Every structure is written in C-alpha cells, then in structure tokens.
Amino acid sequence: MLEDHLISAAHLSRADIETVLDRAESVDSAGEAGHGSHDGRVLALCFFEPSTRTKMSFESAMKRLGGETIDMGSVESSSVKKGESLADTVRVIEGYADAIVLRHPSEGSAKLASQFVDVPLVNAGDGAGQHPSQTLLDLYTIRENAGLDDITVGIMGDLKYGRTVHSLAHALTNFDVRQHFVSPESLRLPRNVRYDLHEAGAQVREHTDLDEVLPELDVLYVTRIQRERFPEEREYRAVAGEYRIDNETLSDARDDLTVMHPLPRVDEIAPAVDETARAKYFEQAHNGVPVRMALLDILLGDEGGDRR
Amino acid sequence: MSDTEKELRVSKIRDGTVIDHVTGGQALNVLAILGIDGNGGETVSIGMNVPSDKLGRKDVVKVEGRELSQSEVDVLSLIAPEATINIIRDFEVIDKNRVERTASVTGILVCPNHNCITNADEPVRTEFEVFDDGVRCSYCGTIVREGDVAEHIDARGSGETAL
Ligand SMILES: [Zn+2]
C-alpha cells in the first residue's frame, strides 16, 4: 500500500506503520538523516480547503528533504472555481510534480484522485473521512510516550466528524490497544467506523463521561467540538463544557498520562495543562515534520530524482 | 406443474426475461434497478405476493425484449437473493440462473452520503463492496444495510451509461 499512495489509515498494516515510524525516528534523532536526499524533486500541495499547518508541515518536510514544493493556491483563484473536476485537476498537476498532497472537503476524494495519477498521492484530509498522515504522527507520539502495545487510549470530543479520530481508531487496531471513546451521544463514532473496529476485533468501549475511564488511561486524545455542529449556541456551550479538561479534571488521572490534541485547540484544554509533563500536543505537532519526511522519503523512493 | 411453469403459461413472453422468486414486495424495486418506469415502452408484467412453496410469498417480474446486464444482476442479488433469472427466446426458457452475490456492485447504487465525492460531478461510477448484511461505498465508507439498499438505486439507471 505504502509504495503507491497513502489514502486511508485503514489500509495501513502494522508493518507499514512501523516502517514509517522507524524511519521518522532515525530522521528525528540523527537530525541529518534524509536531509537533502530528494534534491530537486517537487511536491504539489493541492489544498481545496485551507489548512495552513498541515500544508506548512508538508512544505517543511519536503524542503528538509532537499525538494521543492508548488502550491495550487486558494480554490477561489483556481480553475476549480470554474467547475473543473478533481480528476482533471490532479491529472494536470501530476505533470508538474513527483508527488501530490491532497486536502479536499469531500469524503473519498483522495481515493478518487489516486485513480487518475501515477505519482504518489497523500491524503491530507478528505471531508470527515480520513487524515492518515496525521495518524502517523499521532502514533509516533504515542509510541514515544507510552509505547504502542498493552496500553489504554481514550479518545474524546467530536468523534462523529473528526477525521483524525477515524483514522487513529483504525490504525490502533493493529496494536494491542484498549480504545475508549468519550463523546456526547450526538457526536459518537459513525456507524461505519464502529463496524470496522468490531470487524477488526478491537477492544472498544463508548462513554459519555470521561470520569468512567480516566484513571485507566495511558493516553487521552482530545479533539475539538465545533460550534457549527449545533443549531443553537446554548446547546453547544452545554455540551462543549463537559468535554473540556483542566488540571482539576485530570486529578484522577495517572501521573504519566499523555495528553494529546491534533490542534488547533480552542478551549478544550486549559492552558494550565500546558505546563505539566502530561501535555504532549506541541511535541505531537512538531513530530509532523520528521514523520512526513519519512513518509515522503518512502513514497518518493530511495533514489532521489530518478523520475525526472 | 411448478409455480414457475404456471406463471409462464399465464402470460408468456416471446423474448425477454422472467425474474422469478423475487422476495415478496420487491418487484417495484426490481423495476427500479432495471431503470423501468413505464416510459420506455417495454411490456412488463408483475405478479406480487404470489404464493410460493419456497418463499411463502414471492414476486415475479416479466420484461419483454430485455435481457439483464451483469451489474443489474449484481444489485438484484442484494434485494432478492433467491431470485432466478430466466432468459426467454421465442417463447422458450433458454437459460435459467440463480442470482449470485458478488463482491461488489458498480454503477447502480447512489451513495447516501451527500458529501461523498461520487455525488460530485466526477468521471467515475459508484462502487459498493458487498457484505453479509449490506453494502459499503468504496470511496467514503458509508454503509447501507441490506433492507435499505433499494432506496439508493440510481433512478436514472446509470448502470447502463458508460463511464
Ligand atoms: Zn460514498
């Protein structure tokens, strides 16, 4: 799977994941490993919806590998606005680049796009679907802090629309991980994700109350509950307030709890938590660069420039 | 004389297809799969909730001058897993087959997820993997349970249109 495209975390095997994480670790620790190895190669950044950080993270990764990036700019200024299909857009851009990173608001768009191109394509988020490169950096962070086997992970917040959650839950089924999902009833995991977890034989439980599981957790992965999911501000406030953590909420947690968040956060995690050893979300964001370097390195192949 | 023979005698067709042993109540959905709404001019006869030894109640659909494509048969297998398909030429049953469940169906179902890329104007056909109790969009992963499959048949009969 990894040799062609990265479309969905559901397609990643344990071996695939370990290959990327091991490579990322060597990039990270040696500092220089991988640097400059893709001199002159070009990565196209196709962001059909804005995501400055994911885009910058890929940009940074490619530049550190010695390559260049090109950017299709905002959708408003491109031919997409004129009604061009995604299939046509990526077929054109394929001619400009050695690999493509795609962020698109529709589910299944990365799979569709990958059918029309021969260069490697990385899904950087397709609607509420998948965000597998985020998952790889999440796994990297979990592995560094808690290990990836025999652990208990709590995932809290908007589990319905949160693509980072869907990708992570899929990927964790490759490991010996007990997964607890904490959300309001209206934002629980979608049926298809629950179905997959069940099929994979994952150890999964769902909760509406964090207190039920907090003391058992090695990792707590917090996501944002978005205002626009609720018809009324009042409803949003009531729900969001219950899924916010601070040091008091965490008083029952283990001392070595790893708190993660895909960022940006609004107020789901109180700033006071940042000062504690539990806070790993900035480290998590920084891990995006070595992990994406490793990923691009693998997808582009070892011999830099052989496609040109 | 079996039920099927009796049926065939009542209203024999010269050339076409008899779809027998359709799950009771699914006949109109069978027509939807075939893209038949009466405007195409085909001669169609339907028996609904006909007593059947095998199914208790079954539907029978006879379509004059029409044979089925594989993708139509594939979707048929989801809503009428017991169906038999009899191809009639010159009043004779020249071929009789049970439907078989396939691994996937292409081009006939519409994904119920409005945000799925297959509902945008892209040059691809829909594709659903078939599970024991439903189907799942190969693009966005949305699951449609077996009982709901008929609701998502593409009324325009896109299974017949080329890519
Ligand atoms: Zn779909």
Side-chain angles (χ1 to χ4, degrees):
Chain A
M1 193 65 220
L2 257 185
E3 273 124 46
D4 305 327
H5 308 290
L6 178 61
I7 306 300
S8 165
H11 301 148
L12 290 173
S13 66
R14 183 177 178 126
D16 287 335
I17 293 166
E18 283 172 345
T19 302
V20 179
L21 302 196
D22 291 347
R23 185 88 58 115
E25 206 169 85
S26 72
V27 169
D28 211 2
S29 59
E32 294 302 310
H35 284 237
S37 57
H38 294 279
D39 199 15
R41 304 188 87 189
V42 176
L43 178 67
L45 303 167
C46 301
F47 279 63
F48 287 78
E49 62 179 20
S51 173
T52 313
R53 293 169 194 207
T54 301
K55 192 156 90 174
M56 286 180 75
S57 173
F58 273 106
E59 243 178 315
S60 172
M62 190 61 182
K63 289 186 169 158
R64 285 173 196 237
L65 289 171
E68 321 251 336
T69 60
I70 54 174
D71 185 336
M72 74 172 201
S74 73
V75 169
E76 282 65 33
S77 61
S78 76
S79 55
V80 176
K81 200 69 180 168
K82 298 171 193 134
E84 185 181 58
S85 68
L86 174 61
D88 279 5
T89 306
V90 293
R91 274 183 285 193
V92 171
I93 290 172
E94 171 183 30
Y96 307 156
D98 299 295
I100 294 174
V101 175
L102 177 73
R103 161 70 67 101
H104 194 280
S106 297
E107 284 101 64
S109 51
K111 176 183 161 111
L112 180 138
S114 73
Q115 292 169 335
F116 289 91
V117 298
D118 289 325
V119 299
L121 185 138
V122 177
N123 183 3
D126 58 339
Q130 291 273 329
H131 193 359
S133 70
Q134 173 74 40
T135 295
L136 289 166
L137 71 92
D138 292 342
L139 294 171
Y140 185 77
T141 310
I142 294 173
R143 189 168 86 166
E144 280 199 315
N145 288 286
L148 269 172
D149 282 307
D150 192 22
I151 56 165
T152 304
V153 175
I155 304 181
M156 181 172 86
D158 179 353
L159 309 183
K160 186 173 184 183
Y161 300 98
R163 58 189 159 208
T164 59
V165 170
H166 306 160
S167 285
L168 181 60
H170 275 123
L172 288 175
T173 64
N174 286 297
F175 301 90
D176 176 17
V177 175
R178 296 168 290 276
Q179 299 193 54
H180 292 270
F181 295 93
V182 184
S183 73
E185 192 61 42
S186 62
L187 294 176
R188 63 192 284 232
L189 279 181
R191 183 164 70 177
N192 62 321
V193 179
R194 277 184 278 137
Y195 179 91
D196 285 337
L197 296 179
H198 178 76
E199 285 290 289
Q203 308 173 66
V204 170
R205 279 172 57 202
E206 294 181 88
H207 313 264
T208 51
D209 191 351
L210 178 63
D211 292 343
E212 288 171 17
V213 290
L214 182 63
E216 299 168 37
L217 301 181
D218 297 289
V219 175
L220 175 60
Y221 192 99
V222 183
T223 67
R224 186 156 45 106
I225 291 177
Q226 296 186 57
R227 192 164 310 189
E228 54 268 34
R229 304 298 180 204
F230 295 85
E232 283 185 52
E233 175 80 15
R234 202 158 37 90
E235 266 178 74
Y236 158 74
R237 290 247 161 259
V239 166
E242 281 185 51
Y243 298 90
R244 183 175 299 144
I245 59 163
D246 53 27
N247 284 327
E248 199 192 320
T249 329
L250 295 180
S251 58
D252 287 339
R254 291 170 42 167
D255 289 336
D256 61 354
L257 175 72
T258 295
V259 178
M260 296 171 63
H261 190 298
L263 302 180
R265 71 173 150 175
V266 180
D267 53 7
E268 319 64 83
I269 302 176
V273 179
D274 302 358
E275 311 303 322
T276 70
R278 287 165 169 163
K280 302 293 181 190
Y281 24 92
F282 293 111
E283 178 186 319
Q284 181 189 356
H286 297 165
N287 287 337
V289 174
V291 169
R292 289 179 171 121
M293 284 174 76
L295 180 63
L296 291 171
D297 188 30
I298 291 165
L299 289 171
L300 286 165
D302 289 322
E303 297 138 75
D306 63 345
R307 277 173 190 271
R308 321 194 101 219
Chain B
M1 193 190 294
S2 75
D3 280 350
T4 312
E5 284 165 6
K6 254 186 260 172
E7 289 301 318
L8 289 171
R9 285 191 181 186
V10 175
S11 55
K12 273 196 166 185
I13 59 177
R14 172 186 278 276
D15 298 298
T17 307
V18 175
I19 305 156
D20 198 1
H21 300 111
V22 172
T23 315
Q26 292 294 330
L28 296 178
N29 290 326
V30 170
L31 292 181
I33 290 169
L34 304 185
I36 292 174
D37 62 3
N39 293 322
E42 302 94 338
T43 303
V44 178
S45 20
I46 302 173
M48 288 180 90
N49 295 315
V50 177
S52 155
D53 294 342
K54 205 159 120 198
L55 301 173
R57 298 271 164 187
K58 66 170 185 180
D59 289 2
V60 184
V61 177
K62 300 176 192 182
V63 187
E64 186 86 47
R66 172 87 129 80
E67 292 180 12
L68 307 190
S69 72
Q70 190 56 50
S71 57
E72 288 168 335
V73 176
D74 291 346
V75 181
L76 212 58
S77 72
L78 299 176
I79 65 161
E82 302 293 326
T84 47
I85 296 175
N86 304 279
I87 307 290
I88 315 291
R89 289 198 193 134
D90 208 18
F91 298 110
E92 296 296 324
V93 177
I94 63 136
D95 196 15
K96 182 170 184 155
N97 289 305
R98 289 273 313 267
V99 299
E100 272 176 48
R101 290 179 79 98
T102 48
S104 69
V105 292
T106 305
I108 287 211
L109 298 175
V110 177
C111 183
N113 172 7
H114 297 297
N115 201 36
C116 176
I117 193 74
T118 61
N119 287 317
D121 203 7
E122 294 289 339
V124 287
R125 301 172 75 185
T126 61
E127 183 188 300
F128 287 79
E129 293 161 58
V130 178
F131 284 79
D132 286 348
D133 56 350
V135 298
R136 163 181 232 173
C137 177
S138 304
Y139 286 86
C140 72
T142 296
I143 289 176
V144 180
R145 294 282 177 217
E146 195 160 88
D148 302 329
V149 164
E151 282 169 41
H152 301 290
I153 294 162
D154 187 348
R156 295 162 301 159
S158 71
E160 291 301 295
T161 57
L163 187 136

